[in-house]
Amino acid sequence: MEMLAPLIFLALLATAGFLFYKKASLIKKTILLGKSEIQYEQPAHRWKQVLLLAFGQKKMFKNPLVAFLHLIIYAGFIIINVEVLEIVIDGITGKHRVFLPYIGSFYTYFINVFEILAFGVTVVCVIFLVRRNVLYIKRLSSNDLAGWPKTDANLILVVEIVLMSLFFLMNGADQALQNLQVAHYAPTGSFIVSSMLVPSLSQLSADTLLLIERSAWWLHIIGILAFLNYLPYSKHLHIILAFPSAYFSSLEPAGKMKNMPSVQNEVLYAVDPSKAPTDATPPATFGAKDIFDLNWKSLMEAYSCTECGRCSAACPATTTGKLLSPRKIMMATRDRLEEVAQNINKNTNFIDDQKTLLHNYISVEELRACTTCNACVEACPVSLSPLDIIMELRRSLIMEESNAPSEWNNTFSNIENNFAPWKFSPEDRENWAKEI
Amino acid sequence: MKVNTMAEMMASGTMPEYLFWVGCAGSFDQRAQKITKAFSLILDKVGISYAILGKEEACTGDPARRAGNEFLFQMMAYQNIQVMNAYGVKKIITTCPHCFNTIKNEYPELGGNYEVIHHTTLLQSLINEGKIILKEGGAFKGKKISYHDSCYLGRANNIYEAPRKVLEILDAELIEMKRCRSNGLCCGAGGAQMFKEEEPGTTRINIERAEEAVATGAQIIASACPFCNTMLTDGIKNKEKENEMAVLDIAELIAESMA
Ligand code: SF4
Ligand code: SF4
């Protein structure tokens, strides 16, 4: 067994790594199906966004209490990874607590920090479960999350609690074994949280303790590897993609809409045909009907969305009972992306499935309810933009399908003929000035 | 008082410092016309040199673009930019946050580069420069005023302070609504919603906003956008509060208080 354990461990690690790599590559490939009209300029400013939004969680602090709780989980997650590094080295080398001899008494100090964090994480996960399942916080219990998304959210919290408990159990059993002076279990000093388990664990025999310690150790690391592979299927993917999303988030005034140079040129050539190049070909499509027509930033954002619903809680359409919910826009886009990814995975190339993001996943009624108020973008802790997706779909609706409510068609013809959205004579535009 | 057009100015061989971009609401909507008039009165009193485009002004294309009609937007933008560039326009002031946003943020990449100033920002600097003098014991002294953030001024362009700073000189009591500044609730007009029936829902957006406005107990709701003004006025009527509170543009409040 002594010889075998590192081999089994390596095999596990390699399998988990390989599976994760495969799924991550597929997601990357899917995201890159989008158009590449992305802005890269001002890298210094962009790194600042990463620091503020992703590392600093600046926007989370609009609600300081929740931000603090989330920060505990987040800091816990990052810092506890240092402990996982030791576990991995232990696993590969067949050693036990490999860092201990090198840093001596600091070791106890480090593990204590991890344990305090792990305890914090456990408590916060319980609080978050209560918020979701007992207090029914509105944005966390809306219809958007019915079914799998709700399970996903709860599952993550439960798994984190289990992982943290295994960590404590492992350390507690270790200390009990140290007390029995079992070989291999060098004295580490007492750990702040898990030492509380020692009195009850000390009732058990050395063999049982060994079994508990080893099982907890293995389950803990298997759990972490499984969690890693669960990420790409979950809203929890935001812990990775929040960083590039913050980097690529728009640096322009929020009110500015993306220009369509193709249409700009079409209009220019229409008024001034002499400017038209002889080989001018009109663009194939206008706006976005499906994910292929969106830019890859929007697609990445769909995968980064943590389904927190802050956008929808701020959205004037959602809060007044319209069908539109910006969170649902993000989730629908991701669902469609996943469907396309499966399609490509199966058929090597995408085979038309007679479906599109527009209509099959996002309805006309939803799109028409948006006031372009930017509340969703402002509210999103990662600065994702459901509005970008909405606008691209609206463009397709109008320019590809001429699908507009009749009032809008009137507005359009008024603008075109009278230069104002209402039916007034352009001659009367300055009449007000004569009345002062 | 005479409001000059760019064409008239050009004919007389002068160029105003500012083009006052009136916008469609400000030009045609009866309620918004009052805002336009109030603002031009202020400009006149302070002695700012300005002119309007008059018949040569056309919709910026904002509602068309936001409805999804990029062709129409590009047509309007092209036309307006041609006109303004022909006059050599450098600085633009406007009372409409939608026009402000479009000309300031969206016209530059189409060839229209101007310094664009919203009227609340201009009013703030005029106050700072001591050019706006108010009457003693103005009409709004001690009144409760609540300012409604326009999405296209606030979140879209980060202008939150200027309108509030302007209101401060009225010596009134400023109260914030529950959702204000970057959390401000939309009036419901943006994204071309103004020009169509609202989608089905449990309530209307302007009614929801009016409820928040009413809850402040303010006598005056200050707006900085002609569309917000219309939406809130309707919302307050719906709540049957039109006798207790009025929706007034910041330009109207200042014009009425000026000495
Ligand atoms: S921009 Fe549209 S989707 Fe976003 S909050 Fe405003 S109305 Fe809702
Ligand atoms: S878009 Fe942003 S605010 Fe909305 S649910 Fe996703 S992460 Fe939350």
Side-chain angles (χ1 to χ4, degrees):
Chain A
M1 183 66 195
E2 295 245 318
M3 290 290 291
L4 216 53
L7 289 178
I8 297 175
F9 184 84
L10 264 177
L12 261 176
L13 200 63
T15 315
F18 175 72
L19 287 176
F20 181 75
Y21 171 78
K22 229 180 106 191
K23 178 69 183 170
S25 313
L26 182 61
I27 290 182
K28 185 176 165 207
K29 196 169 146 193
T30 317
I31 288 174
L32 292 178
L33 290 173
K35 292 194 198 153
S36 58
E37 305 160 333
I38 305 301
Q39 316 257 304
Y40 300 93
E41 83 299 350
Q42 305 186 45
H45 208 121
R46 293 186 177 279
W47 281 111
K48 202 174 127 202
Q49 306 248 81
V50 175
L51 277 178
L52 285 176
L53 294 173
F55 280 109
Q57 322 235 311
K58 179 176 154 218
K59 283 202 178 174
M60 289 290 289
F61 279 89
K62 281 194 166 183
N63 179 342
L65 181 64
V66 173
F68 176 70
L69 296 177
H70 183 264
L71 190 69
I72 293 178
I73 295 206
Y74 163 74
F77 185 86
I78 292 198
I79 297 172
I80 293 168
N81 274 326
V82 181
E83 166 65 6
V84 174
L85 180 72
E86 184 188 40
I87 295 181
V88 169
I89 298 179
D90 280 352
I92 296 173
T93 57
K95 294 228 165 61
H96 185 68
R97 297 195 184 267
V98 64
F99 293 161
L100 178 60
Y102 298 104
I103 53 174
S105 57
F106 277 114
Y107 190 85
T108 324
Y109 173 76
F110 277 122
I111 299 287
N112 277 340
V113 171
F114 298 146
E115 285 210 345
I116 292 169
L117 276 169
F119 186 72
V121 171
T122 316
V123 172
V124 174
C125 285
V126 172
I127 297 176
F128 280 0
L129 279 171
V130 170
R131 277 166 59 86
R132 271 179 197 271
N133 302 290
V134 182
L135 299 178
Y136 291 115
I137 302 291
K138 203 169 159 202
R139 71 177 163 87
L140 302 178
S141 50
S142 98
N143 269 343
D144 291 355
L145 299 181
W148 165 246
K150 186 181 154 95
T151 317
D152 177 30
N154 284 329
L155 200 63
I156 293 162
L157 293 168
V158 171
V159 168
E160 291 210 38
I161 293 174
V162 170
L163 285 178
M164 295 304 131
S165 311
L166 287 168
F167 180 58
F168 291 134
L169 190 60
M170 173 181 105
N171 284 348
D174 196 313
Q175 288 163 82
L177 286 162
Q178 292 167 29
N179 293 344
L180 295 176
Q181 295 181 339
V182 175
H184 230 75
Y185 290 89
T188 56
S190 163
F191 299 142
I192 192 155
V193 179
S194 56
S195 60
M196 288 183 251
L197 299 173
V198 176
S200 15
L201 287 169
S202 297
Q203 320 268 330
L204 305 170
S205 71
D207 282 345
T208 321
L209 283 172
L210 265 173
L211 189 69
I212 292 177
E213 198 276 336
R214 282 294 86 192
S215 312
W217 189 93
W218 279 99
L219 284 174
H220 179 66
I221 192 67
I222 291 172
I224 287 175
L225 294 176
F227 194 68
L228 174 75
N229 274 288
Y230 177 66
L231 281 186
Y233 297 92
S234 152
K235 71 170 186 118
H236 226 54
L237 191 54
H238 77 277
I239 63 172
I240 297 171
L241 289 182
F243 293 86
S245 290
Y247 185 86
F248 288 109
S249 69
S250 168
L251 301 177
E252 312 225 58
K256 180 177 183 295
M257 263 180 73
K258 205 179 77 202
N259 190 29
M260 293 182 74
S262 56
V263 180
Q264 183 190 345
N265 287 333
E266 288 266 293
V267 169
L268 191 67
Y269 304 155
V271 235
D272 187 354
S274 70
K275 289 219 171 78
T278 41
D279 58 348
T281 44
T285 53
F286 298 104
K289 196 176 177 64
D290 208 347
I291 55 124
F292 308 96
D293 314 315
L294 288 167
N295 64 43
W296 65 254
K297 175 174 167 277
S298 289
L299 303 187
M300 178 175 71
E301 290 188 350
Y303 274 114
S304 319
C305 173
T306 150
E307 297 170 16
C308 70
R310 283 177 179 79
C311 50
S312 298
C315 172
T318 316
T319 53
T320 56
K322 313 291 182 305
L323 206 55
L324 170 66
S325 159
R327 163 169 58 188
K328 224 210 94 200
I329 298 287
M330 301 311 274
M331 294 171 70
T333 307
R334 181 170 177 174
D335 287 347
R336 175 61 182 155
L337 278 165
E338 276 296 294
E339 187 176 56
V340 170
Q342 292 318 319
N343 186 319
I344 292 179
N345 215 14
K346 215 167 93 203
N347 309 313
T348 343
N349 284 314
F350 179 73
I351 305 230
D352 189 7
D353 58 359
Q354 304 296 317
K355 283 194 208 166
T356 52
L357 179 62
L358 178 60
H359 301 303
N360 294 98
Y361 285 80
I362 297 173
S363 69
V364 177
E365 185 178 329
E366 287 166 79
L367 295 173
R368 286 209 188 132
C370 176
T371 71
T372 68
C373 73
N374 263 300
C376 49
V377 184
E378 177 71 36
C380 177
V382 217
S383 277
L384 309 181
S385 179
L387 179 56
D388 279 353
I389 299 179
I390 294 173
M391 282 319 309
E392 288 307 310
L393 296 180
R394 266 194 184 181
R395 282 174 163 168
S396 173
L397 261 190
I398 298 289
M399 290 188 279
E400 294 286 330
E401 301 179 21
S402 305
N403 185 342
S406 60
E407 301 120 295
W408 272 3
N409 283 330
N410 291 336
T411 309
F412 295 156
S413 73
N414 288 335
I415 294 179
E416 197 172 338
N417 303 313
N418 306 327
F419 311 132
W422 302 284
K423 212 178 182 84
F424 289 108
S425 159
E427 288 301 308
D428 295 340
R429 195 176 261 272
E430 59 195 28
N431 282 1
W432 62 269
K434 298 177 191 128
E435 294 160 9
I436 341 179
Chain B
M1 185 189 121
K2 164 108 177 81
V3 181
N4 288 315
T5 59
M6 292 297 279
E8 288 164 342
M9 285 256 182
M10 187 95 149
S12 66
T14 44
M15 265 306 273
E17 185 183 359
Y18 292 100
L19 164 67
F20 172 19
W21 183 275
V22 183
C24 300
S27 300
F28 294 113
D29 182 270
Q30 283 195 344
R31 175 66 190 86
Q33 281 177 346
K34 292 192 184 151
I35 303 171
T36 313
K37 290 175 192 170
F39 185 60
S40 38
L41 276 174
I42 300 175
L43 293 176
D44 199 62
K45 259 192 194 163
V46 179
I48 284 187
S49 112
Y50 76 98
I52 58 170
L53 280 173
K55 297 179 184 57
E56 290 184 282
E57 186 186 281
C59 174
T60 58
D62 159 271
R65 183 171 236 194
R66 275 149 189 87
N69 193 337
E70 184 75 5
F71 278 96
L72 187 49
F73 165 76
Q74 293 285 351
M75 277 160 55
M76 303 315 290
Y78 180 85
Q79 185 177 332
N80 284 321
I81 292 170
Q82 291 277 317
V83 170
M84 289 193 284
N85 286 355
Y87 283 120
V89 168
K90 300 256 159 18
K91 290 191 195 175
I92 300 175
I93 25 173
T94 177
T95 46
C96 174
H98 294 264
C99 298
F100 169 75
N101 177 68
T102 304
I103 304 177
K104 177 175 175 287
N105 297 324
E106 299 180 353
Y107 278 12
E109 52 191 337
L110 309 177
N113 291 289
Y114 322 101
E115 184 190 340
V116 192
I117 304 158
H118 187 254
H119 74 307
T120 56
T121 311
L122 183 80
L123 289 175
Q124 188 197 6
S125 34
L126 290 175
I127 289 168
N128 290 348
E129 292 161 21
K131 290 192 178 150
I132 288 186
I133 320 266
L134 300 194
K135 291 190 275 224
E136 278 303 311
F140 306 105
K141 196 171 173 187
K143 288 252 165 76
K144 285 188 183 171
I145 302 185
S146 188
Y147 171 66
H148 162 82
D149 284 281
S150 142
C151 304
Y152 274 80
L153 215 50
R155 278 187 294 270
N157 287 293
N158 264 311
I159 299 180
Y160 299 109
E161 290 310 323
R164 290 179 167 82
K165 283 275 178 298
V166 175
L167 290 173
E168 274 174 15
I169 69 154
L170 297 175
D171 220 0
E173 187 190 338
L174 302 184
I175 338 168
E176 293 290 354
M177 290 187 229
K178 200 176 99 208
R179 283 175 274 185
C180 61
R181 294 178 188 263
S182 62
N183 293 326
L185 176 65
C186 177
C187 70
Q193 295 294 336
M194 185 75 190
F195 307 102
K196 74 176 199 19
E197 192 43 55
E198 227 171 280
E199 299 305 311
T202 46
T203 179
R204 285 168 175 276
I205 297 173
N206 63 332
I207 292 177
E208 175 138 317
R209 188 52 164 172
E211 278 166 9
E212 286 193 0
V214 169
T216 62
Q219 290 116 328
I220 291 156
I221 303 304
S223 65
C225 168
F227 296 103
C228 296
N229 192 307
T230 305
M231 291 306 253
L232 292 176
T233 306
D234 287 351
I236 282 164
K237 268 196 202 125
N238 179 280
K239 296 272 120 193
E240 297 177 350
K241 291 281 181 202
E242 67 268 34
N243 296 324
E244 285 128 77
M245 56 202 310
V247 185
L248 292 169
D249 192 274
I250 290 184
E252 294 177 298
L253 292 168
I254 294 296
E256 216 183 304
S257 312
M258 275 174 85

